[in-house]
Amino acid sequence: MSPQLPPVAPAVTAELVAALSPRLRKRLDSGIAKLADRPVVRDGAVVRIAVDDDTDLELHAADGAVRGADAVRCGCLLAPDCLHRAAAASLAPVAEDTDSAAPQDHSAAEEDAAQAPETATPEQRAAVRAVQLATSAVLEAGTDGAGAVLQAELLRAAHTARLAGLHRAAATAVSVVTALRAARAADPAYHLTDLAAGLYDVLSVAHRLPSASGGELTALRGTARQPYRPDGSLRLYGLFSEPVLTASGYAGAVTWTADAEGRLYQVSDVAPGGAGRAVGAADRTVRIGDTALTHRELARAGLAVSGATVSPTGRLGAGAGVRAVRAPGVGWHEEPVARLWTEPVPGQIARALAGGRDLLFLDVTLTGTAAEAAGDCLLADCAGVPLRLTAAHDDPALPHRDNLRLLSAARGTRLRVVARLTPAPHPRAQLLAAEHPTRADTRLDIGLDRLQGADLPTTAAAPSGSVPVSVSASASDEAPIHLLRRRVHQTVSGGRPVLALPGDTRADARHLRRSGLTTAAELLTDLHSAAADRAHDVFGRLRPTDPDRFARAWLAAAHYTSELDRTLCLAAWTP
């Protein structure tokens, strides 16, 4: 397998694409496709792509990422104005901001927040407008039409937003570009719902920020760095580890722990890399204090930490003043961690939907498997609620799907599990960890440990393939809001042209009204109207489209479906 290209800073890609002539811009997407098939070799901090038999292109990444346009060098005769440099930058993963992972003193963070203006500055309004325009252009084109040039415009806007202190808009815009690339490359890790959520967040921030003030404005701006603050001494108990594998080119592992009060803390090891790094990271020593524990060991042991620093999300810092030693762990049925499973499930769901932690601690009984378009899911009963447990990753190097397939044969087995909520109109979550189906004292990290047929109960037979079972649709599955949600997702895939096609939407609108969803019917009608709004000038020529109106109509529809889905999700988890 060829080495992966190093991540490239958004501003570098934007600069290289902007420097291309109009003629070369039209050829950029085909140039990227050709370059993707060329051999790649790594020599220290330099990655070389063989453009042809006589020409190499080099990406210099001294700190693991390409931070300047001069670090992308081509040996062809047209360099530095060649297509190859822009194609390589557009093909590579997007680098994270250099200060996104750097610890920040908590008092400094509070001081920065206190000194921030109460309303958006003219610079911030201009920057968020640029993000809005670039995102609207992507939405209008859809994934098929949003090629490297539109992606570069969005990356340029994201860089401008970051310089203006709009870190949330910048980070989400970059995530949209990453998802676009995954969609256009037919990456199996791509999910349409993730791209739709990213577009929604960017446009929502751009819509609200110019008139926001106070705490709302602070939340919309976001922060550049995780503000770590001192947290004294901690006694932590390992819960589980999960692999990390992102479409942006980062991989590793995160180990989750809990203290005696049930608060969750994470120890992470994430860096540029692919599936190989995600698989191997679990056996790396955790980077905190002088402990020699690996992530896999910490997930089942404990940790005593002094001088701890912790981010608002519970991520443990690894500064020079932090000390940590191994301590005994406990089982999931032992205190203090057993209390995590005593919280009522509806309360856990409500917290997750309100923006709190999205981990769920559940007691389930396995009932079988069901075939879905994205792959089979594991069915379970959770306190009378029919639950679908899905794979957190689809990469074949990780054992998620194989483990779910084997567990589906252990029907009737009762297990204690950890899952991550997937907001949907029916109970759904990604399975992250579980008790072993036959060994009561053993836990399984679903993304790291591989089950074998011999691990199943003696009454179960290892399945040779998918064995779909009949699953009746719940009332929430049949809610006609899908008529609006489908159009929201179709826009993301096909852009304005898909919704502008001739067709009668009145039947769908009538169905929504009959179901009491009058607002949804009006939003659906307005979305189609905005897509088809192409006025003619006095000479009969089509006027340019109004991306602002179309983006506003889409944002309103996406917001409505998102809020209704949250309500349906909470209701679905209630027996």
Side-chain angles (χ1 to χ4, degrees), residues 329-397:
V330 297
W332 283 357
H333 290 272
E334 302 175 67
E335 292 297 344
V337 303
R339 70 179 57 192
L340 294 169
W341 278 265
T342 62
E343 181 181 2
V345 175
Q348 297 187 51
I349 303 301
R351 182 190 59 247
L353 292 175
R357 71 179 189 220
D358 56 2
L359 292 185
L360 306 178
F361 298 87
L362 310 172
D363 287 304
V364 304
T365 300
L366 304 183
T367 58
T369 185
E372 296 184 334
D376 293 351
C377 67
L378 180 63
L379 300 179
D381 177 87
C382 178
V385 173
L387 169 63
R388 297 190 179 201
L389 294 168
T390 62
H393 290 284
D394 288 319
D395 194 291

Side-chain angles (χ1 to χ4, degrees), residues 476-512:
S476 59
D477 285 326
E478 298 172 348
I481 189 60
H482 75 273
L483 297 173
L484 179 60
R485 188 191 304 108
R486 181 176 61 192
R487 301 304 184 191
V488 169
H489 288 168
Q490 281 181 338
T491 304
V492 175
S493 296
R496 176 201 288 263
V498 170
L499 270 69
L501 292 173
D504 188 359
T505 61
R506 287 176 294 183
D508 287 348
R510 285 196 298 270
H511 189 181
L512 289 167

Side-chain angles (χ1 to χ4, degrees), residues 478-567:
E478 298 172 348
I481 189 60
H482 75 273
L483 297 173
L484 179 60
R485 188 191 304 108
R486 181 176 61 192
R487 301 304 184 191
V488 169
H489 288 168
Q490 281 181 338
T491 304
V492 175
S493 296
R496 176 201 288 263
V498 170
L499 270 69
L501 292 173
D504 188 359
T505 61
R506 287 176 294 183
D508 287 348
R510 285 196 298 270
H511 189 181
L512 289 167
R513 287 192 177 93
R514 283 197 302 268
S515 302
L517 300 175
T518 304
T519 301
E522 294 174 353
L523 291 171
L524 177 63
T525 301
D526 187 55
L527 182 59
H528 278 278
S529 175
D533 184 13
R534 293 294 304 274
H536 293 75
D537 62 17
V538 294
F539 300 104
R541 297 172 299 192
L542 280 174
R543 295 184 184 275
T545 61
D546 182 359
D548 272 350
R549 184 194 169 191
F550 183 63
R552 286 195 303 270
W554 182 88
L555 178 61
H559 178 73
Y560 180 88
T561 57
S562 175
E563 290 301 309
L564 187 55
D565 280 348
R566 287 161 56 91
T567 302

Side-chain angles (χ1 to χ4, degrees), residues 128 131-137 139 172 197-209 547 550-552 554-555:
V128 82
V131 171
Q132 185 177 39
L133 290 174
T135 307
S136 298
L139 183 67
T172 312
L199 288 166
Y200 169 73
D201 192 58
V202 175
L203 289 173
S204 179
V205 169
H207 175 74
R208 294 160 53 198
L209 188 137
F550 183 63
R552 286 195 303 270
W554 182 88
L555 178 61

Side-chain angles (χ1 to χ4, degrees), residues 369-445:
T369 185
E372 296 184 334
D376 293 351
C377 67
L378 180 63
L379 300 179
D381 177 87
C382 178
V385 173
L387 169 63
R388 297 190 179 201
L389 294 168
T390 62
H393 290 284
D394 288 319
D395 194 291
L398 300 172
H400 292 89
R401 288 219 171 270
D402 290 341
N403 286 337
L404 261 65
R405 180 177 60 85
L406 284 169
L407 285 172
S408 68
R411 298 173 189 172
T413 302
R414 185 166 178 81
L415 297 177
R416 182 157 279 191
V417 304
V418 182
R420 176 169 286 117
L421 176 67
T422 302
H426 57 273
R428 189 179 189 86
Q430 296 174 345
L431 184 61
L432 304 177
E435 291 177 312
H436 195 283
T438 56
R439 301 178 208 155
D441 59 343
T442 303
R443 309 175 203 167
L444 293 171
D445 295 329

